[in-house]
């Protein structure tokens, strides 16, 4: 049982105004259901009039045609108008969606309602470069507040940002084509017309018709397959926002790795994936449940996707998507899967209501991820991983300057700005620091765990704003109302201030792992010819991946290095790194490129011939182009381009053949977008699906913005 501190609601009110919703008090039962839109929210990233309706449920019925890379069928929306006089339904859509027809019926309405479908007129208007608005005229006779209407949209998809068709050559097995979707943040409007805002959640069902031999998976609680009809049926029984609707279809097989988790992958990857994860998923789920309460989604399956997957991982409920390229880097795989599991509570169960507060998902999930790794692997390991990421945050700040508005947790963006373009390290790490600050204010980390557990219980299946979290926090810890505490509470500075986090957690528990790394950096950077006998006291072959990564990241900060230092580094470590994972290798190769160290350029070539993912190609190509090795990059690109996804190919072409400033200027963001000449090392940096497909421009502007999901 969670400890609940009963506090008079008036205390909250005297401290700061309750949220507009005022929908909860401590001890209230959580209000579960699609009526989760509790306040007049404005989402500038959505063209829809979502606040005029309650979305009860929707159903997708789609046929997948791999030959023409098309999904066709229909969408049925169960809607209840909430205002009188609503005459138009506006949905988010995309120019890649071709609408055939739209009709409406009012089931069971009798009398003045329509039992039979009525054909509706509609109009598609431009909205932004990432979507359009679908304006549907509703029949006045059928539309009454509180009465259900069913809108059926018949449509087909063409190439859009959400849907990634992979020819068989781009899959790991290279025998069958594959398709997956990636909705975050605002891409799913090119998958199906919707209220494409995280403020709206609903249940959904889907019927997916496929050719023989294709397995379909969706982010759904239940599924079934009729072999005779080659039809998959799915049901998501808990309300989710549109961006968490996800599908993958191809030659997929599975192995059960726990009572509620199975690993899915192409057959050639499956045994490796199962070996790497083993029984860990259930163990991590168990730790998370101890901390934050029951896992609400039933299944916790994981599907490994080919290197064309544009990000590292995505927390699609019941079915985490993760890139197969991370399999060889076990420590990163562990962190990424635990992070996605943490989203089961933070982000998926309780969701940021607007994209302007994405930290509510990522900052809380990162905090929860680190609580899980602390419990499962100890504080030292967690502190080391945190130091690697906070280093990256400060590196980014040095590039952007302390006054850059992208460093705010609450970002106000203008209409037209793609929310994906503002997802950055601050969302994750400054958000994490803020949650750590709240934990520290609470006075006890375990007490704060209980707070988070009760927060989830209170707001599960709802979308929240920062005020919901902060007000609940202040009610939960009434002692913070003491005037002695009050001066220290700097929520406004945290949320709306630029620059570094005002507070960072104490990471000294990682000292035994971190100190040798810094000592070795000092040895290499303080003298041109480091003492060989001193070097032998550091056995990198016994170090963890995160230690080596931290070492290389910090050495990268010192680049350019004198040639003789690079020579010594190469003779000491190059062969060792050859045998290690891609996360280590890419950092060493970035050092090679940034220092124009010709003896190891063949290793760069070999790496870029082997790795075809965005996460491992874009940072190296950017470094190659920024220096004098552009001709090497062009050569490798022409040799490998046929093995790259067309979206990545376009991104790399842009890196290779356009100036960075021109590329950056094409970003529609009204905020300053960095394009420094030497990007920092973020080998896990990736671009989002939208960035990757929307003309590829945002992907380039985002080159220093570490985005994983
Ligand atoms: Zn995340």
């Amino acid at each position: 049982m969670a400890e609940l501190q009963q506090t008079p609601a008036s205390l909250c009110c005297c401290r700061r105004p309750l949220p507009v919703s005022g929908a909860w008090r401590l001890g209230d039962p959580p209000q579960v259901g699609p009526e989760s839109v509790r306040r007049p929210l404005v989402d500038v990233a959505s063209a829809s009039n979502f606040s005029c309706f309650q979305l009860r449920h929707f159903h997708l019925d789609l046929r997948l045609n791999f030959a023409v890379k098309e999904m066709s069928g229909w969408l049925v929306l169960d809607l209840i108008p909430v205002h009188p006089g609503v005459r138009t339904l506006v949905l988010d859509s995309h120019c890649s969606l071709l609408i055939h027809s739209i009709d409406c019926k009012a089931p069971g309405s009798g009398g003045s309602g329509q039992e039979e479908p009525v054909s509706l007129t509609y109009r598609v208007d431009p909205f932004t470069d990432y979507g359009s608005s679908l304006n549907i005229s509703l029949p006045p006779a059928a539309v009454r507040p509180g009465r259900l209407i069913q809108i059926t949209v018949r449509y087909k998809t063409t190439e859009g940002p959400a849907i990634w068709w992979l020819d068989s050559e781009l899959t790991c097995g290279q025998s069958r084509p594959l398709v997956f979707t990636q909705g975050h943040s605002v891409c799913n409007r090119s998958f199906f017309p919707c209220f494409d805002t995280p403020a709206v959640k609903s249940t959904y069902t889907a019927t997916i018709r496929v050719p023989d031999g294709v397995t379909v998976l969706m982010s759904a609680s239940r599924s079934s397959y009729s072999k005779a009809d080659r039809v998959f049926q799915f049901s998501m029984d808990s309300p989710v926002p549109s961006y968490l609707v996800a599908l993958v279809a191809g030659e997929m097989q599975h192995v059960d790795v726990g009572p509620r988790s199975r690993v899915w992958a192409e057959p050639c990857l499956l045994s490796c994936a199962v070996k790497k994860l083993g029984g860990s998923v259930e163990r991590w789920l168990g730790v998370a449940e101890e901390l934050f309460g029951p896992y609400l989604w039933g299944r916790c399956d994981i599907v490994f996707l080919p290197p064309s997957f544009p990000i590292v991982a995505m927390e699609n409920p019941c079915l985490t998507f993760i890139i197969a390229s991370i399999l060889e880097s076990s420590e990163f795989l562990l962190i990424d899967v635990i992070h996605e599991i943490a989203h089961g509570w933070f982000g998926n169960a309780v969701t940021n209501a607007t994209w302007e507060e994405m930290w509510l998902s990522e900052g809380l999930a990162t905090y929860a991820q680190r609580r899980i790794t602390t419990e499962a692997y100890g504080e030292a390991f967690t502190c080391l991983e945190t130091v690697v990421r906070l280093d990256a945050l400060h590196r980014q700040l040095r590039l952007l300057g302390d006054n850059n508005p992208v460093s705010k947790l609450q970002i106000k963006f203008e209409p037209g700005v793609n929310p994906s373009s503002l997802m950055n390290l601050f969302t994750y790490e400054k958000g994490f620091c803020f949650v750590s600050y709240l934990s520290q204010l609470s006075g006890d980390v375990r007490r704060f765990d209980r707070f988070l557990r009760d927060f989830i219980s209170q707001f599960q299946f709802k979308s929240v704003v920062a005020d919901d979290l902060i007000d609940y926090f202040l009610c939960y810890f009434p002692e913070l109302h003491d005037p002695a505490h009050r001066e220290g509470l700097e929520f406004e500075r945290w949320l709306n201030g630029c620059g570094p986090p005002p507070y960072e957690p104490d990471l000294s528990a990682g000292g035994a792992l971190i100190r040798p790394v810094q000592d070795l950096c000092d040895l290499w950077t303080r003298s041109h010819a480091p003492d060989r006998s001193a070097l032998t006291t550091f056995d990198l072959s016994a170090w963890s991946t995160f230690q080596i990564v931290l070492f290389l990241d910090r050495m990268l900060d010192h680049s350019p290095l004198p040639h003789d230092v690079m020579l010594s580094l190469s003779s000491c470590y190059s062969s060792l790194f050859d045998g290690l994972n891609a996360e280590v290798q890419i950092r060493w190769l970035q050092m090679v490129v940034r220092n124009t160290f010709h003896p190891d350029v063949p290793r760069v070539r070999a790496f870029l011939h082997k790795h075809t993912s965005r996460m491992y190609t874009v940072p190296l190509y950017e470094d190659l182009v920024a220096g004098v090795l552009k001709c090497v990059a062009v050569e490798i690109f022409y040799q490998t381009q046929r093995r790259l996804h067309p979206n990545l190919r376009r991104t790399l072409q842009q890196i290779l053949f356009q100036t960075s400033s021109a590329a950056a200027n094409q970003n529609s963001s009204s905020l300053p977008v960095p394009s420094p000449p030497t990007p920092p090392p973020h080998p896990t940096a990736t671009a989002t699906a939208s960035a990757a497909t929307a003309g590829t421009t945002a992907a380039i502007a985002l080159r220093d913005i570490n985005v994983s999901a």
Side-chain angles (χ1 to χ4, degrees):
M1 288 294 290
E3 177 187 303
L4 204 56
Q5 313 230 349
Q6 294 291 343
T7 309
S10 59
L11 266 185
C12 302
C13 300
C14 74
R15 232 206 111 63
R16 39 185 295 128
L18 275 172
V20 176
S21 64
W24 56 266
R25 286 175 306 164
L26 284 175
D28 279 356
Q31 295 171 7
V32 180
E35 65 282 357
S36 55
V37 180
R38 297 162 301 127
R39 68 185 63 220
L41 268 168
V42 175
D43 183 346
V44 296
S46 173
S48 73
N49 59 347
F50 65 90
S51 60
C52 297
F53 299 89
Q54 191 185 104
L55 175 61
R56 292 282 292 271
H57 181 84
F58 69 89
H59 179 75
L60 279 170
D61 190 313
L62 294 173
R63 181 177 298 281
L64 272 49
N65 187 333
F66 286 85
V68 292
K69 299 181 177 175
E70 201 176 88
M71 299 186 185
S72 57
W74 61 89
L75 159 80
V76 182
L77 296 162
D78 291 353
L79 292 166
I80 296 179
V82 294
H83 301 307
V86 176
R87 293 291 171 262
T88 308
L89 166 65
V90 186
L91 296 173
D92 289 301
S93 186
H94 192 269
C95 59
S96 62
L97 284 191
L98 303 181
I99 311 290
H100 295 309
S101 66
I102 302 177
D103 61 51
C104 169
K105 63 179 180 176
S109 55
S112 58
Q114 279 94 16
E115 296 278 3
E116 292 302 312
V118 176
S119 183
L120 303 182
T121 59
Y122 61 90
R123 194 182 74 237
V124 178
D125 288 336
F127 175 56
T128 60
D129 63 355
Y130 58 85
S132 49
S133 77
L134 173 59
N135 299 268
I136 303 165
S137 298
L138 298 174
V143 180
R144 292 186 183 172
R147 180 181 289 175
L148 177 73
I149 54 172
Q150 278 189 326
I151 305 292
T152 300
V153 182
R154 291 173 193 280
Y155 73 101
K156 72 176 180 185
T157 67
T158 59
E159 296 262 3
I163 304 174
W164 293 66
W165 295 94
L166 307 189
D167 293 332
S168 52
E169 309 86 71
L170 293 180
T171 65
C172 298
Q174 302 196 359
S175 59
R176 272 183 173 277
L178 186 147
V179 65
F180 63 83
T181 66
Q182 169 60 25
H184 198 287
S185 312
V186 286
C187 298
N188 265 354
R189 59 192 68 182
S190 70
F191 182 13
F192 53 93
C194 54
F195 293 139
D196 202 3
T197 169
V200 173
K201 294 184 171 186
S202 82
T203 56
Y204 78 88
T205 45
T207 302
I208 309 293
R209 304 162 198 277
V210 287
D212 204 17
V214 173
T215 298
V216 187
L217 311 171
M218 286 191 80
S219 55
S221 330
R222 291 178 288 131
S223 65
S224 63
Y225 174 56
S226 164
K227 192 170 170 50
D229 308 321
R230 299 197 299 271
V231 168
F232 286 81
Q233 303 276 1
F234 298 93
S235 176
M236 169 47 93
D237 301 333
S238 301
V240 293
S242 58
Y243 78 92
L244 290 178
V245 178
L247 173 151
V248 53
E251 189 183 14
M252 310 302 290
Q253 293 182 354
H254 74 271
V255 168
D256 287 327
V257 294
R260 51 186 158 171
S261 50
R262 79 185 19 163
V263 169
W264 289 92
E266 290 181 68
C268 58
L269 279 177
L270 189 59
S271 63
C272 172
V274 170
K275 203 168 112 191
K276 291 278 185 175
L277 285 176
S280 300
V281 177
E282 185 58 34
R283 181 181 171 215
W284 298 332
L285 278 170
V287 173
E289 288 190 308
E290 283 288 313
L291 293 169
F292 309 121
Y295 180 70
L296 297 165
W297 302 96
R299 302 235 29 112
C300 182
D301 296 343
I302 292 164
V303 58
F304 285 89
L305 294 173
S308 298
F309 187 52
I311 56 175
V312 181
M314 179 63 209
E315 66 270 23
N316 297 313
C318 305
L319 182 69
T320 286
F321 284 20
I322 190 158
I323 193 166
S325 315
I326 205 71
L327 270 171
E328 64 178 76
S329 308
S330 300
E331 289 176 43
F332 280 81
L333 173 69
L334 178 151
I335 291 295
D336 289 330
V337 176
I338 291 177
H339 179 85
E340 304 313 318
I341 284 177
H343 273 303
W345 287 260
F346 305 97
N348 294 3
V350 180
T351 309
N352 46 278
T354 79
W355 294 119
E356 293 174 327
E357 294 188 324
M358 228 182 292
W359 74 271
L360 279 169
S361 169
E362 296 304 344
L364 279 160
T366 303
Y367 179 88
Q369 159 214 316
R370 290 182 178 144
R371 286 292 299 122
I372 296 167
T373 59
T374 299
E375 295 298 310
Y377 299 99
E379 207 172 351
F381 171 83
T382 304
C383 288
L384 171 63
E385 183 269 329
T386 308
V387 163
V388 169
R389 293 279 289 181
L390 290 184
D391 262 24
L393 181 78
H394 287 290
R395 196 171 293 123
Q396 191 143 75
L397 266 171
R398 286 197 296 275
L399 287 162
L400 300 179
D402 280 357
N403 292 321
N404 196 303
V406 302
S407 61
K408 288 183 179 184
L409 286 181
Q410 278 181 334
I411 297 176
K412 289 278 170 238
F413 51 78
E414 299 297 318
V417 174
N418 188 327
S420 299
S421 69
L422 295 175
M423 194 179 188
N424 55 43
L425 261 179
F426 301 98
T427 312
Y428 291 77
E429 297 303 333
K430 193 172 180 183
F432 159 76
C433 289
F434 181 41
V435 181
S436 301
Y437 167 73
L438 296 179
S439 173
Q440 182 254 342
L441 281 182
S442 79
D444 177 63
V445 69
R446 299 223 166 256
R447 219 175 139 209
F448 193 69
D449 292 340
R450 289 193 291 277
F451 159 75
L452 289 177
R453 183 188 179 113
D454 291 340
F455 171 73
I456 292 293
S457 172
Q458 184 76 45
F459 291 98
Q460 62 186 6
F461 304 125
K462 293 183 182 301
S463 300
V464 299
V465 295
D467 272 351
D468 290 321
L469 174 72
I470 291 171
D471 290 337
Y472 191 74
F473 175 80
L474 289 173
C475 285
Y476 203 94
F477 297 105
E479 68 274 22
L480 294 177
H481 293 278
D482 184 328
H485 277 93
R486 211 173 277 195
E487 285 188 14
L489 303 180
E490 300 180 280
F491 300 135
E492 203 53 32
R493 184 176 161 214
W494 272 103
L495 296 174
N496 287 312
C498 297
Y503 163 87
E504 288 184 20
D506 175 16
L507 300 174
S508 57
L513 297 172
I514 297 160
R515 212 171 302 114
V517 174
Q518 188 55 47
D519 290 345
L520 185 59
C521 284
D522 292 344
L523 207 57
W524 279 106
T525 53
R526 282 183 189 160
S527 123
H528 278 207
D531 178 358
R532 285 270 160 185
S533 63
L535 282 179
T536 57
T537 62
F538 297 88
D539 179 11
L540 264 65
S541 66
W543 279 13
S544 71
T545 291
F546 278 119
Q547 282 180 297
I548 299 178
V549 158
L550 184 63
F551 168 64
L552 290 173
D553 280 353
R554 289 186 173 179
M555 290 300 291
L556 265 162
D557 288 340
H558 287 280
S559 292
L561 293 159
H563 182 75
D564 54 342
V565 170
M566 280 302 295
L567 210 54
S568 301
L569 280 165
S570 178
S571 79
C572 285
Y573 307 128
S574 225
S575 300
L576 170 71
F577 296 156
D578 281 345
L580 297 180
N581 59 63
E583 292 290 338
V584 169
Q585 283 179 24
I586 190 172
R587 285 167 166 87
W588 167 243
L589 297 176
Q590 284 188 290
M591 285 187 65
V592 167
V593 172
R594 289 191 204 176
N595 288 282
T596 322
F597 184 66
H598 288 285
D600 276 342
V601 169
R603 286 185 158 92
V604 178
R605 288 178 185 277
F607 186 88
L608 287 175
H609 274 268
K610 181 182 174 192
H611 292 280
T612 54
S613 65
R614 176 172 291 269
M615 64 194 284
Y616 291 139
T617 52
V618 168
L620 265 180
Y621 272 97
E622 285 175 336
D623 279 358
L624 285 163
V625 168
V628 299
L629 294 169
K630 181 174 175 178
C631 55
V632 174
V634 172
E635 195 185 320
I636 301 169
F637 174 74
Y638 282 123
Q639 289 164 348
T640 58
Q641 60 169 331
R642 271 175 301 180
R643 295 191 288 119
L644 306 175
H645 189 278
N647 294 337
L648 176 59
R649 213 181 295 152
R650 281 195 289 273
T651 301
L652 295 181
Q653 279 171 332
Q654 204 152 25
I655 291 169
L656 288 167
F657 305 117
Q658 292 190 17
T659 64
S660 60
S661 57
N665 287 341
Q666 292 178 41
N667 188 284
S668 57
S669 167
S670 63
L671 293 166
V673 174
S675 55
T678 52
H682 297 318
T684 55
T686 51
T688 63
S690 61
T693 51
T696 73
T697 54
I700 297 198
L702 271 174
R703 61 197 217 167
D704 298 315
I705 309 288
N706 186 333
V707 178
S708 60

